[in-house]
Amino acid sequence: MTTSDGIPLKVSLQRALRRSRRRAFFLVLPLLAFLTISFVLPIFDMLFRSVDNTIVPQNLPSVVKAIEDWDPKASELPSEAVYEAMVKDIQIGFEEKTLGSLARRLNYDLTGSASLFRKSGRRASKIEGAPYKEQLIEVDEDWGDPAIWNLIKRESDSLTASYFLSAVDMRYDEQGDIAMQPDYQQIYLKLFWRTLVISAVITGLCILLGYPVAYLMATLPLRSSNLLMILVLLPFWTSLLVRTTAWIALLQTQGVLNDLLVAVGVISDDGRIRMIYNQTGTIVAMTHILLPFMILPLYSVMKTIPPSYMRAARSMGANPFTAFVRVYMPNTVAGVGAGSILCFILAIGYYITPALVGGQSGTLISNFIANHISVTLNWGLAAALGVILLGLVMLLYVIYDRIVGIDNMKLG
């Protein structure tokens, strides 16, 4: 069979299909490029920064080469050649003004390294000949401590595991072995656990509060349902900062809620409840912010459930509660799953609201990631924390897929 111009029909259909695919590809190409630039590339950049250590070999090239044969577990200090290489690299780094970034990088692993390199940079220009070891130790006695040389030897490669070790409260000890941080310095594992627990609690509260609202919206007449929908969507039209600060006014010890409890005699004026700048404030404020993300998927699924299902269950002898639990609720699993995924993933990465209302006990791991990016400038540690957080989210996603099934999730 051929077309009117003599081309076989099969060939003509294949050509038309290829043209259709090319048109479709060019139509989505701008969106694909936008996602690649704004989403995919930053993720790969984060993955690279979590192990990137090129700053050390770039700024200490002579030292990296000279220290290769030195054994960190040996009791003696590096040779004279290593000290000579260090002096020359410090002099070059001080002249090119790159010593500060190197000092800051090494200071992440060994406190005091920044001041050591800055001090040595100012005085290394006076060192003009041998003996380099004695003169450098005379500049600062820390150059006679094997700890700084162990660090430089360990971080000589262009890739490092130090950021990931710090992100899970681990470190290299004096012998170069991996060990746990002292108890008073272990913060990140507790923060990861706190983030997961608080996010799970917020998601659970969103289900408990959102399910009745969504059910009411799905069963009420259209006019009443639309009014409730406007009320659910109203928070989206209000600034996040305004909503968060409103909770501060409501929950603080001299706030509206405590004043109301004192006025009705539930608590005394001296026994006001502390509900802000702690985990309670974080949970309350974030539950309010994320609640619409639970209600909307639930409502979209409930609206598709025929009312005849409940009537059929009642006609077969089930009471209203049994009919609701055994017939209606299983049909809403897809909406619960979609809302839970949305709320949990948004909660696990939130940092504005916890920063404003969380205090010391209500901050999440995302707050520390933001702090390392904008305050301490330890982008490597921030990237490592972000990669671990991304891995946890992906793991929970896989678990959810195994238990519920991602194919059963519906957003509408």
Side-chain angles (χ1 to χ4, degrees), residues 93-386:
F94 185 74
E95 291 177 1
E96 297 180 353
K97 302 186 184 302
T98 59
L99 203 60
S101 57
L102 170 67
R104 185 169 59 250
R105 162 65 189 94
L106 294 177
N107 198 69
Y108 295 149
D109 292 312
L110 182 63
T111 304
S113 299
S115 59
L116 172 64
F117 274 88
R118 282 194 291 266
K119 179 180 178 182
S120 302
R122 292 191 298 269
R123 300 185 181 181
S125 59
K126 300 178 181 179
I127 303 176
E128 298 180 350
Y132 292 98
K133 178 185 289 189
E134 294 179 5
Q135 293 184 77
L136 196 57
I137 294 176
E138 194 174 310
V139 168
D140 195 304
E141 60 182 11
D142 285 346
W143 289 115
D145 186 355
I148 184 64
W149 296 106
N150 287 338
L151 172 62
I152 294 172
K153 170 73 174 181
R154 188 179 68 242
E155 301 300 329
S156 295
D157 295 331
S158 57
L159 300 178
T160 180
S162 297
Y163 295 127
F164 277 104
L165 290 178
S166 299
V168 292
D169 293 329
M170 303 181 77
R171 62 181 175 88
Y172 288 105
D173 59 17
E174 296 178 355
Q175 288 73 37
D177 300 322
I178 297 176
M180 294 298 297
Q181 292 277 14
D183 291 340
Y184 64 90
Q185 291 184 355
Q186 295 182 15
I187 56 175
Y188 295 116
L189 289 178
K190 296 177 182 177
L191 275 171
F192 276 116
W193 177 248
R194 181 197 298 172
T195 300
L196 293 175
V197 170
I198 290 180
S199 299
V201 170
I202 291 169
T203 303
L205 289 174
C206 286
I207 294 174
L208 290 177
L209 297 174
Y211 201 98
V213 175
Y215 177 75
L216 191 62
M217 291 169 57
T219 54
L220 282 176
L222 185 60
R223 184 174 180 180
S224 302
S225 176
N226 288 339
L227 178 60
L228 284 177
M229 177 64 75
I230 292 174
L231 296 177
V232 169
L233 295 176
L234 191 60
F236 288 123
W237 305 333
T238 308
S239 168
L240 175 63
L241 186 61
V242 172
R243 283 180 281 165
T244 303
T245 51
W247 279 112
I248 296 176
L250 288 171
L251 298 178
Q252 61 184 334
T253 52
Q254 301 298 325
V256 176
L257 188 55
N258 268 297
D259 287 344
L260 181 62
L261 293 175
V262 171
V264 298
V266 176
I267 59 175
S268 64
D269 190 56
D270 296 331
R272 290 173 176 264
I273 305 172
R274 189 169 180 267
M275 296 179 286
I276 201 68
Y277 306 123
N278 51 23
Q279 289 189 19
T280 303
T282 298
I283 291 172
V284 171
M286 288 183 61
T287 299
H288 168 250
I289 290 170
L290 297 179
L291 190 56
F293 294 97
M294 178 64 70
I295 294 175
L296 296 176
L298 280 172
Y299 169 74
S300 66
V301 171
M302 289 178 176
K303 198 66 178 175
T304 63
I305 301 175
S308 58
Y309 285 7
M310 292 290 287
R311 292 196 296 266
R314 294 291 304 277
S315 67
M316 297 180 70
N319 58 48
F321 179 78
T322 302
F324 183 81
V325 172
R326 300 190 63 179
V327 176
Y328 193 86
M329 288 184 66
N331 283 281
T332 63
V333 170
V336 172
S340 299
I341 285 287
L342 282 174
C343 290
F344 187 83
I345 291 179
L346 288 173
I348 208 172
Y350 241 76
Y351 72 95
I352 296 177
T353 301
L356 293 175
V357 303
Q360 185 175 359
S361 64
T363 52
L364 307 182
I365 192 67
S366 52
N367 297 109
F368 278 75
I369 294 175
N371 180 71
H372 285 310
I373 288 177
S374 59
V375 179
T376 66
L377 302 180
N378 191 347
W379 285 27
L381 180 55
L385 292 170

